[in-house]
Amino acid sequence: MSLAHPDDHDSSNMTRAAADAPADMTIMERIYRGVVEEIDAGVLLPGQRLPSVRTMSARHRVSRDTIVRAYDKLIANGQAYAVRGAGFYVREATPADRPITTPAVLPPLDPSRLIHSDHPLDRTPGSGILRHEESAQAEVAKVARAVTAAIGSDGTYGNPLGYLPLRQALCDKLKGEGIEVPLDQLVTTPGAVAGLSLVIRALLRPGTSVLYERPCSFIHLQVLMAQGASGIGVPRQADGPDLEALRTLCERHRPYLFLLSSVLHNPTGTSIAPHKVHKLLEIAAEFDLLLVDDASYADLLPTGPGTYAAAPLMRFGGLRRVIHVGGFSHTIAPAVAPGFVVADESRMQFIRYFRPIQGLGNTIIQERLLYRFLHEGLYRRRCDRVRAHLARCSMGLRRTITDIGLPFAVPPAGGLFLWGSLGDGIDATEVATRMLARTYLTAPAVHFTRYADLRSYMRFNVTTTNANTLAALANCL
């Protein structure tokens, strides 16, 4: 007999569903599944009243709370509704031809697809996400479970400047890297991109003249455009920004800030050479130019003998002319890694004021997860493993490029990305369109610059690009 009213009817279908359910399924879930099956089978009709909580509790010999939770799940999934004082009723199903939402469809070559894509990573050579080894993914999951189990609910949003022990741990981390930062000049953010957005929102007004690198991360352009800034591109060379062009633009436009990346620049993977850092800081002082340094890739920088002696700008020039933005989405994971901003007090007062707009308590778990990695010494060892993983991937990719005979050279910069020309006269956007037809999502130069001088260039993620990808690329040239 059906589960339908009157209340004293037996529910043979639901009893059968409960008996067939997996052994590890909870009683509440079994009851919920049984009701859903009756609704799907048409035994329970829209508008029909479900048995009372008391009746279901007695029938299944479970607590009333278990039944209430099962009914609450029906309501949450749009399968039932409650009428105060009258019980629970079956909700009319949403017709299949009536979409609940209408998601925006991104253009085929929209750069946002490099981060938010339904393509599998092994068919996304242009991805901006570092694909970790399984052991690294398992480590994050293990720490996340421990943090979630330990965290309590005190009914507060937490400190808007960030979890205090984490902020102290970040100051200690920076101190170990030769950078002294006062605790009150560091705030955490939901991520590095959120940190950049916070800085730009706090310090810029619409129409302000600013500089950015070309090429640069499309995120840099988006955060500047969102604030209505008037942006001008500074060419990026193999050893950093073109300082002659920078000086000319400063003389002509008197920009307020320069948004750049000091280490492992996206998309080129290059870092600013030490000799150029000092000249850059001199120009910033001469023209009262603020340098906003996106150093979110800094912990991927190769270390040890023979490696490039690069470091974030803050290490060379302090905070008088520099705002430092850091992040952990590449070393930990994009979904659970916060970021942070370091600035001197004259600018931090504005950053602190705008920080709550990004969310009051939405990073409590993420910040405690990162703190656990830092405090227990897990982070340093993890970075060593990640850098070794990147080195192996890069070495294998270079061998494959040589074997296939692709025309572009591989700069020995380290990090996550390879950036190179596909050949003189080749339009990387056209190649990207042909690759997409083969279900490969690539990152042509148009995602990182609007200037035609780099149109033959393309960025590759060393952890998601494989031999099959490069063979397909060779056929698309």
Side-chain angles (χ1 to χ4, degrees):
M1 300 180 66
S2 81
L3 184 64
H5 190 69
D7 287 345
D8 58 354
H9 281 182
D10 185 25
S11 178
S12 58
N13 284 356
M14 194 187 71
T15 302
R16 190 180 308 113
D20 295 340
D24 59 349
M25 185 180 292
T26 64
I27 296 175
M28 182 279 289
E29 186 69 22
R30 293 175 187 230
I31 293 172
Y32 164 77
R33 293 282 183 89
V35 178
V36 170
E37 288 191 8
E38 296 252 301
I39 294 173
D40 291 343
V43 177
L44 288 168
L45 302 176
Q48 198 164 355
R49 181 171 177 254
L50 298 177
S52 69
V53 171
R54 177 182 298 178
T55 299
M56 289 287 283
S57 174
R59 179 180 302 155
H60 296 281
R61 299 179 182 179
V62 297
S63 69
R64 295 183 185 181
D65 177 69
T66 299
I67 303 302
V68 169
R69 287 189 291 115
Y71 280 4
D72 282 344
K73 186 169 182 178
L74 289 167
I75 294 173
N77 285 277
Q79 295 149 329
Y81 63 94
V83 177
R84 183 181 293 274
F88 297 86
Y89 294 80
V90 178
R91 181 179 292 279
E92 181 179 2
T94 303
D97 59 351
R98 188 197 309 161
I100 298 174
T101 59
T102 306
V105 177
L106 294 173
L109 292 182
D110 190 291
S112 297
R113 287 182 177 271
L114 303 180
I115 301 174
H116 308 288
S117 172
D118 54 2
H119 277 64
L121 283 178
D122 61 357
R123 300 191 78 84
T124 314
S127 175
I129 298 173
L130 192 157
R131 179 163 63 178
H132 289 275
E133 296 175 295
E134 290 186 6
S135 60
Q137 298 175 35
E139 181 183 38
V140 172
K142 180 180 179 180
V143 174
R145 286 193 296 269
V147 169
T148 304
I151 195 169
S153 177
D154 56 8
T156 67
Y157 286 112
N159 190 326
L161 303 183
Y163 183 45
L164 182 58
L166 172 60
R167 292 169 60 212
Q168 183 61 65
L170 289 171
C171 288
D172 293 341
K173 175 181 181 295
L174 293 172
K175 184 177 181 179
E177 298 167 1
I179 305 170
E180 291 278 356
V181 174
L183 180 63
D184 58 357
Q185 291 179 209
L186 184 151
V187 300
T188 62
T189 60
V193 173
L196 289 173
S197 179
L198 173 61
V199 170
I200 298 304
R201 173 179 286 186
L203 301 180
L204 288 189
R205 296 297 172 263
T208 303
S209 180
V210 299
L211 302 177
Y212 61 86
E213 296 179 290
R214 61 175 180 90
C216 68
S217 166
F218 65 88
I219 294 294
H220 288 190
L221 293 177
Q222 289 179 347
V223 297
L224 293 175
M225 291 171 59
Q227 193 63 13
S230 176
I232 308 159
V234 178
R236 176 85 180 202
Q237 299 173 327
D239 58 353
D242 182 335
L243 296 185
E244 290 186 9
L246 174 62
R247 175 175 289 278
T248 299
L249 291 172
C250 286
E251 291 173 346
R252 185 177 302 168
H253 300 281
R254 297 288 170 171
Y256 175 68
L257 66 76
F258 182 16
L259 177 55
L260 73 165
S261 293
S262 57
V263 292
L264 296 181
H265 168 259
N266 178 13
T268 67
T270 60
S271 298
I272 304 179
H275 74 276
K276 211 165 197 178
V277 168
H278 295 292
K279 293 180 181 178
L280 172 63
L281 292 170
E282 290 174 0
I283 293 174
E286 180 181 350
F287 293 96
D288 194 23
L289 178 67
L290 176 63
L291 304 174
V292 178
D293 184 13
D294 177 3
S296 53
Y297 293 89
D299 288 341
L300 301 182
L301 193 68
T303 59
T307 57
Y308 198 47
L313 295 178
M314 179 172 58
R315 182 174 179 180
F316 298 94
L319 296 175
R320 186 177 180 185
R321 302 287 176 192
V322 176
I323 291 181
H324 178 95
V325 180
F328 300 88
S329 63
H330 304 293
T331 50
I332 301 295
V336 296
F340 66 99
V341 175
V342 183
D344 72 354
E345 181 56 32
S346 66
R347 300 179 180 96
M348 182 54 71
Q349 59 180 320
F350 298 103
I351 293 172
R352 284 195 293 262
Y353 180 80
F354 281 91
R355 172 61 184 89
I357 296 176
Q358 293 187 323
L360 297 176
N362 57 341
T363 58
I364 289 176
I365 293 177
Q366 294 95 314
E367 291 186 354
R368 282 157 176 77
L369 182 146
L370 177 58
Y371 172 72
R372 182 75 65 96
F373 268 97
L374 292 171
H375 180 68
E376 296 185 2
L378 302 174
Y379 186 72
R380 180 183 58 80
R381 296 193 297 273
R382 181 179 179 86
C383 286
D384 289 340
R385 292 193 298 270
V386 170
R387 286 189 286 261
H389 172 53
L390 289 173
R392 288 192 298 271
C393 290
S394 180
M395 186 179 299
L397 190 57
R398 295 180 194 192
R399 282 199 299 264
T400 304
I401 288 173
T402 301
D403 293 342
I404 292 178
L406 290 175
F408 59 89
V410 183
L416 181 59
F417 300 123
L418 172 146
W419 171 257
S421 172
L422 301 180
D424 294 340
I426 292 180
D427 189 332
T429 303
E430 295 179 359
V431 175
T433 301
R434 293 194 286 270
M435 286 288 284
L436 189 59
R438 296 171 179 243
T439 70
Y440 287 100
L441 190 62
T442 57
V446 71
H447 290 344
F448 311 103
T449 179
R450 286 168 273 178
Y451 292 81
D453 57 332
L454 295 174
R455 67 176 185 175
S456 67
Y457 280 71
M458 186 171 277
R459 187 194 76 180
F460 293 88
N461 181 322
V462 301
T463 67
T464 63
T465 305
N466 53 44
N468 291 335
T469 301
L470 294 176
L473 177 68
N475 291 328
C476 289
L477 295 177

